[in-house]
Amino acid sequence: MPETTLADLAHEVRSKNAGPFWVTMELFMRDAEGYRIAADESFLNESVIAQLYRVEEKTVQLFRIPSLNVVKISFPRPVGQGSLRDRDVHAGQHHVPLARMPVPPSTRPLGESP
């Protein structure tokens, strides 16, 4: 059976510019159980994002919004928007590694098999 990813538990995972020098990603979770997993600091934290996106951990900002079942993540863009080395001017594809993150079996929603 394929592994469960954050995208499987989310209504939407998206990324966008937060100005020319920052990226913001948002996990809109389907329900409180999915939010519980995405907001779990032992699963998703600044260190994990720093490793996943190769940015400095101290620059990563996470915002957990339980009333909306949303986790927002912001960090500096690796290159400025529109610069010569910018391969995604709108930062619209930055969310893909986050969406593909596997959810460990111990944190999966009840009733879901590995």
Coordinates of all heavy atoms in Angstrom, one line a residue, residues 3-61:
E3 N 2.5 4.9 0.7 CA 2.5 5.6 2.0 C 1.6 6.9 1.9 O 1.4 7.4 0.9 CB 3.9 6.0 2.3 CG 4.6 7.0 1.3 CD 6.1 7.2 1.6 OE1 6.6 6.6 2.5 OE2 6.7 7.9 0.8
T4 N 1.1 7.3 3.1 CA 0.3 8.5 3.2 C 1.2 9.7 3.3 O 2.2 9.7 3.9 CB -0.5 8.4 4.5 OG1 -1.4 7.2 4.4 CG2 -1.4 9.6 4.6
T5 N 0.8 10.7 2.5 CA 1.6 12.0 2.5 C 0.8 13.1 3.1 O -0.5 13.0 3.3 CB 2.0 12.4 1.1 OG1 0.8 12.6 0.3 CG2 2.8 11.3 0.4
L6 N 1.4 14.2 3.3 CA 0.6 15.4 3.8 C -0.4 15.8 2.8 O -1.5 16.2 3.2 CB 1.6 16.6 4.1 CG 2.3 16.6 5.4 CD1 3.3 17.7 5.5 CD2 1.3 16.6 6.6
A7 N -0.2 15.7 1.5 CA -1.1 16.0 0.5 C -2.4 15.2 0.6 O -3.5 15.6 0.4 CB -0.5 15.9 -0.9
D8 N -2.2 13.9 1.0 CA -3.4 13.0 1.2 C -4.3 13.5 2.3 O -5.5 13.2 2.3 CB -2.9 11.6 1.5 CG -2.1 10.9 0.4 OD1 -2.5 11.2 -0.8 OD2 -1.2 10.2 0.7
L9 N -3.8 14.1 3.3 CA -4.6 14.6 4.5 C -5.1 16.0 4.3 O -5.8 16.5 5.1 CB -3.7 14.5 5.7 CG -3.1 13.1 6.1 CD1 -2.3 13.2 7.3 CD2 -4.2 12.1 6.2
A10 N -4.6 16.7 3.3 CA -4.9 18.1 3.1 C -6.0 18.3 2.0 O -6.1 17.6 1.1 CB -3.7 18.9 2.7
H11 N -6.8 19.4 2.2 CA -7.7 19.9 1.2 C -6.9 20.5 0.1 O -7.2 20.4 -1.1 CB -8.7 20.8 1.8 CG -9.6 21.5 0.9 ND1 -10.5 20.8 0.1 CD2 -9.7 22.8 0.5 CE1 -11.1 21.7 -0.7 NE2 -10.6 22.9 -0.5
E12 N -5.8 21.3 0.5 CA -5.0 22.0 -0.4 C -3.6 22.2 0.2 O -3.5 22.5 1.4 CB -5.6 23.3 -0.8 CG -4.8 24.1 -1.9 CD -5.5 25.3 -2.3 OE1 -6.5 25.7 -1.7 OE2 -5.0 25.9 -3.3
V13 N -2.6 22.1 -0.6 CA -1.2 22.5 -0.2 C -0.8 23.5 -1.3 O -0.8 23.1 -2.4 CB -0.2 21.3 -0.1 CG1 1.1 21.8 0.4 CG2 -0.8 20.2 0.9
R14 N -0.4 24.7 -0.9 CA 0.0 25.6 -1.9 C 1.2 26.5 -1.4 O 1.5 26.6 -0.2 CB -1.1 26.5 -2.3 CG -1.6 27.5 -1.2 CD -2.8 28.3 -1.6 NE -3.2 29.3 -0.6 CZ -4.3 29.9 -0.6 NH1 -5.1 29.8 -1.6 NH2 -4.5 30.8 0.4
S15 N 1.8 27.1 -2.4 CA 2.9 28.0 -2.1 C 2.8 29.3 -3.0 O 2.2 29.2 -4.0 CB 4.3 27.4 -2.4 OG 4.4 26.9 -3.7
K16 N 3.3 30.4 -2.5 CA 3.3 31.6 -3.2 C 4.3 32.6 -2.7 O 4.9 32.3 -1.6 CB 1.9 32.2 -3.1 CG 1.5 32.5 -1.6 CD 0.0 33.0 -1.5 CE -0.4 33.1 -0.1 NZ -1.7 33.5 0.1
N17 N 4.5 33.6 -3.4 CA 5.5 34.7 -2.9 C 4.9 35.4 -1.8 O 3.7 35.6 -1.7 CB 5.7 35.7 -4.0 CG 6.6 35.1 -5.1 OD1 7.5 34.3 -4.9 ND2 6.4 35.6 -6.3
A18 N 5.7 35.8 -0.9 CA 5.4 36.7 0.2 C 6.3 37.9 0.1 O 7.1 38.1 0.9 CB 5.5 36.0 1.6
G19 N 6.2 38.5 -1.1 CA 7.1 39.6 -1.4 C 8.2 39.0 -2.3 O 8.3 37.8 -2.5
P20 N 9.2 39.8 -2.8 CA 10.2 39.3 -3.7 C 11.3 38.4 -3.1 O 12.0 37.8 -3.8 CB 10.8 40.6 -4.3 CG 10.5 41.6 -3.3 CD 9.2 41.2 -2.6
F21 N 11.3 38.4 -1.7 CA 12.4 37.7 -1.1 C 11.9 36.6 -0.1 O 12.7 36.0 0.6 CB 13.3 38.7 -0.3 CG 13.8 39.8 -1.2 CD1 13.3 41.1 -1.1 CD2 14.8 39.5 -2.1 CE1 13.8 42.0 -1.9 CE2 15.2 40.5 -3.0 CZ 14.8 41.7 -2.9
W22 N 10.6 36.3 0.0 CA 10.1 35.3 0.9 C 9.1 34.4 0.1 O 8.4 34.8 -0.8 CB 9.3 35.9 2.1 CG 10.3 36.5 3.1 CD1 11.0 37.6 3.0 CD2 10.7 35.8 4.3 NE1 11.8 37.8 4.1 CE2 11.6 36.7 4.9 CE3 10.3 34.7 4.9 CZ2 12.2 36.4 6.2 CZ3 10.9 34.3 6.2 CH2 11.8 35.2 6.8
V23 N 9.0 33.2 0.6 CA 8.0 32.2 0.1 C 7.1 31.8 1.3 O 7.6 31.7 2.4 CB 8.7 30.9 -0.4 CG1 7.7 29.8 -0.6 CG2 9.5 31.2 -1.6
T24 N 5.8 31.7 1.1 CA 4.9 31.2 2.1 C 4.2 30.0 1.5 O 3.8 30.0 0.4 CB 3.8 32.3 2.4 OG1 4.5 33.3 3.1 CG2 2.7 31.7 3.3
M25 N 4.1 29.0 2.4 CA 3.4 27.7 2.0 C 2.3 27.5 3.0 O 2.4 27.9 4.2 CB 4.3 26.5 2.0 CG 5.4 26.7 1.0 SD 6.5 25.3 0.9 CE 7.3 25.4 2.5
E26 N 1.2 27.0 2.6 CA 0.0 26.7 3.4 C -0.5 25.3 3.3 O -0.6 24.8 2.2 CB -1.1 27.7 3.1 CG -0.6 29.2 3.3 CD -1.4 30.2 2.5 OE1 -1.9 29.9 1.4 OE2 -1.6 31.3 3.1
L27 N -0.7 24.7 4.4 CA -1.3 23.4 4.5 C -2.8 23.6 5.0 O -2.9 23.9 6.2 CB -0.6 22.5 5.4 CG 0.8 22.0 5.0 CD1 1.6 21.5 6.3 CD2 0.7 20.9 4.0
F28 N -3.7 23.4 4.1 CA -5.1 23.5 4.5 C -5.6 22.1 4.8 O -5.9 21.3 3.8 CB -6.0 24.1 3.4 CG -5.7 25.6 3.2 CD1 -4.7 26.0 2.3 CD2 -6.3 26.6 3.9 CE1 -4.4 27.3 2.1 CE2 -6.1 27.9 3.6 CZ -5.1 28.3 2.7
M29 N -5.7 21.7 6.0 CA -6.0 20.3 6.3 C -7.5 20.0 6.3 O -8.3 20.9 6.5 CB -5.4 19.9 7.7 CG -3.9 20.2 7.9 SD -2.9 19.6 6.5 CE -3.0 17.9 6.7
R30 N -7.8 18.8 5.9 CA -9.3 18.4 5.7 C -10.1 18.5 7.0 O -11.2 18.8 7.0 CB -9.4 17.0 5.1 CG -8.9 16.9 3.7 CD -9.1 15.5 3.2 NE -8.5 15.4 1.9 CZ -9.0 15.8 0.7 NH1 -10.1 16.4 0.7 NH2 -8.3 15.7 -0.4
D31 N -9.4 18.1 8.1 CA -10.1 18.0 9.4 C -9.2 18.2 10.5 O -8.0 18.4 10.3 CB -10.9 16.7 9.5 CG -9.9 15.5 9.2 OD1 -8.7 15.6 9.5 OD2 -10.4 14.4 8.8
A32 N -9.7 18.2 11.7 CA -8.9 18.4 12.9 C -7.8 17.3 13.1 O -6.8 17.6 13.6 CB -9.8 18.4 14.2
E33 N -8.1 16.1 12.7 CA -7.2 15.0 12.8 C -6.0 15.2 11.9 O -4.8 15.1 12.3 CB -7.8 13.6 12.5 CG -6.9 12.4 12.6 CD -6.4 12.2 14.1 OE1 -7.0 12.7 15.0 OE2 -5.5 11.4 14.2
G34 N -6.2 15.6 10.7 CA -5.1 16.0 9.8 C -4.3 17.1 10.3 O -3.1 17.2 10.2
Y35 N -5.0 18.1 10.8 CA -4.4 19.3 11.4 C -3.5 18.9 12.6 O -2.3 19.3 12.7 CB -5.3 20.4 11.9 CG -4.7 21.5 12.6 CD1 -4.0 22.5 11.9 CD2 -4.6 21.5 14.0 CE1 -3.3 23.5 12.6 CE2 -4.0 22.5 14.7 CZ -3.3 23.5 14.0 OH -2.6 24.5 14.6
R36 N -4.0 18.0 13.4 CA -3.2 17.5 14.5 C -1.8 16.9 14.1 O -0.8 17.2 14.7 CB -4.0 16.4 15.3 CG -3.2 15.8 16.5 CD -3.9 14.6 17.1 NE -3.9 13.5 16.1 CZ -2.9 12.7 15.9 NH1 -1.7 12.9 16.4 NH2 -3.0 11.7 15.0
I37 N -1.9 16.2 13.0 CA -0.6 15.6 12.4 C 0.3 16.7 11.9 O 1.5 16.8 12.2 CB -1.0 14.6 11.4 CG1 -1.7 13.4 12.0 CG2 0.3 14.1 10.6 CD1 -2.4 12.4 11.0
A38 N -0.3 17.6 11.0 CA 0.5 18.6 10.4 C 1.1 19.6 11.4 O 2.2 20.2 11.2 CB -0.3 19.4 9.4
A39 N 0.4 19.9 12.5 CA 0.8 20.8 13.5 C 1.7 20.2 14.6 O 2.2 20.9 15.4 CB -0.4 21.4 14.2
D40 N 1.9 18.9 14.5 CA 2.7 18.2 15.5 C 4.2 18.6 15.4 O 4.8 18.4 14.4 CB 2.6 16.7 15.3 CG 3.3 15.9 16.4 OD1 4.2 16.5 17.1 OD2 3.1 14.7 16.4
E41 N 4.7 19.3 16.4 CA 6.0 19.8 16.4 C 7.1 18.8 16.3 O 8.2 19.0 15.8 CB 6.3 20.7 17.6 CG 5.5 22.0 17.5 CD 5.8 23.0 18.6 OE1 7.0 23.0 19.0 OE2 4.9 23.7 19.1
S42 N 6.8 17.5 16.7 CA 7.8 16.5 16.6 C 7.8 15.9 15.1 O 8.8 15.2 14.8 CB 7.5 15.3 17.5 OG 6.2 14.7 17.2
F43 N 6.8 16.2 14.3 CA 6.8 15.8 12.9 C 7.2 16.9 12.0 O 8.0 16.8 11.1 CB 5.4 15.3 12.6 CG 5.1 15.1 11.1 CD1 5.9 14.2 10.4 CD2 4.1 15.8 10.5 CE1 5.7 14.0 9.0 CE2 3.9 15.6 9.1 CZ 4.7 14.7 8.4
L44 N 6.6 18.1 12.1 CA 6.8 19.2 11.2 C 7.3 20.4 12.0 O 6.5 20.9 12.8 CB 5.5 19.5 10.4 CG 5.7 20.6 9.3 CD1 6.7 20.1 8.2 CD2 4.3 20.8 8.6
N45 N 8.5 20.8 11.8 CA 9.1 21.9 12.6 C 10.1 22.7 11.8 O 10.3 22.3 10.6 CB 9.7 21.4 13.9 CG 10.7 20.3 13.7 OD1 11.6 20.5 12.8 ND2 10.6 19.2 14.3
E46 N 10.7 23.7 12.3 CA 11.6 24.5 11.6 C 12.8 23.7 11.1 O 13.3 24.0 10.0 CB 12.1 25.7 12.5 CG 11.0 26.7 12.8 CD 10.1 26.4 14.0 OE1 10.2 25.2 14.5 OE2 9.3 27.2 14.3
S47 N 13.3 22.8 11.8 CA 14.4 22.0 11.4 C 14.1 21.2 10.2 O 14.9 21.1 9.2 CB 14.9 21.1 12.6 OG 15.9 20.2 12.1
V48 N 12.9 20.6 10.2 CA 12.5 19.7 9.1 C 12.4 20.6 7.8 O 12.8 20.2 6.7 CB 11.1 19.0 9.4 CG1 10.5 18.4 8.1 CG2 11.3 18.0 10.5
I49 N 11.7 21.7 7.9 CA 11.6 22.6 6.8 C 13.0 23.1 6.3 O 13.2 23.1 5.1 CB 10.7 23.8 7.1 CG1 9.3 23.3 7.4 CG2 10.7 24.9 6.0 CD1 8.6 22.6 6.3
A50 N 13.8 23.4 7.2 CA 15.2 23.9 6.8 C 15.9 22.8 6.0 O 16.6 23.1 5.0 CB 16.0 24.3 8.1
Q51 N 15.8 21.6 6.4 CA 16.5 20.5 5.7 C 15.8 20.2 4.4 O 16.5 20.0 3.4 CB 16.5 19.2 6.5 CG 17.3 19.3 7.8 CD 17.2 18.1 8.7 OE1 16.5 17.1 8.3 NE2 17.8 18.1 9.8
L52 N 14.5 20.3 4.3 CA 13.7 20.0 3.1 C 14.0 21.0 2.0 O 14.1 20.7 0.8 CB 12.2 19.9 3.5 CG 11.3 19.4 2.4 CD1 11.6 18.0 2.1 CD2 9.9 19.5 2.9
Y53 N 14.1 22.3 2.4 CA 14.3 23.4 1.5 C 15.7 24.0 1.5 O 15.9 25.0 0.8 CB 13.2 24.5 1.7 CG 11.9 24.0 1.3 CD1 11.0 23.4 2.2 CD2 11.5 24.1 0.0 CE1 9.8 22.9 1.8 CE2 10.3 23.6 -0.4 CZ 9.4 23.0 0.5 OH 8.2 22.5 0.1
R54 N 16.6 23.4 2.2 CA 18.0 23.9 2.3 C 18.1 25.4 2.6 O 18.7 26.2 1.9 CB 18.7 23.6 1.0 CG 18.8 22.1 0.7 CD 19.6 21.8 -0.6 NE 19.5 20.4 -0.8 CZ 19.0 19.8 -1.9 NH1 18.4 20.6 -2.8 NH2 19.0 18.5 -2.0
V55 N 17.4 25.8 3.7 CA 17.5 27.1 4.2 C 17.9 27.1 5.7 O 17.9 26.0 6.3 CB 16.1 27.9 4.1 CG1 15.7 28.0 2.6 CG2 15.0 27.2 4.9
E56 N 18.3 28.2 6.2 CA 18.8 28.2 7.6 C 17.5 28.1 8.5 O 16.5 28.7 8.3 CB 19.5 29.5 7.9 CG 20.8 29.7 7.3 CD 21.5 30.9 7.7 OE1 21.5 31.2 8.9 OE2 22.1 31.6 6.9
E57 N 17.7 27.2 9.5 CA 16.6 26.9 10.4 C 16.1 28.2 11.1 O 14.9 28.3 11.3 CB 17.0 25.9 11.5 CG 16.0 25.5 12.4 CD 16.4 24.4 13.4 OE1 17.4 23.7 13.2 OE2 15.8 24.3 14.5
K58 N 17.0 29.0 11.5 CA 16.6 30.2 12.2 C 15.7 31.2 11.4 O 15.1 32.1 11.9 CB 17.8 31.0 12.8 CG 18.7 31.6 11.8 CD 19.9 32.2 12.4 CE 20.8 32.8 11.3 NZ 22.0 33.4 11.8
T59 N 15.7 31.0 10.0 CA 14.9 31.9 9.2 C 13.5 31.3 8.9 O 12.7 32.1 8.4 CB 15.6 32.1 7.8 OG1 15.7 30.9 7.1 CG2 17.0 32.7 8.0
V60 N 13.2 30.1 9.3 CA 12.0 29.5 9.0 C 10.9 29.9 10.1 O 11.2 30.0 11.3 CB 12.1 27.9 9.1 CG1 10.7 27.3 8.9 CG2 13.0 27.5 8.0
Q61 N 9.8 30.3 9.6 CA 8.7 30.7 10.5 C 7.5 29.8 10.3 O 7.1 29.6 9.1 CB 8.3 32.2 10.2 CG 9.4 33.1 10.4 CD 9.0 34.6 10.0 OE1 7.8 34.8 9.7 NE2 9.9 35.5 10.2

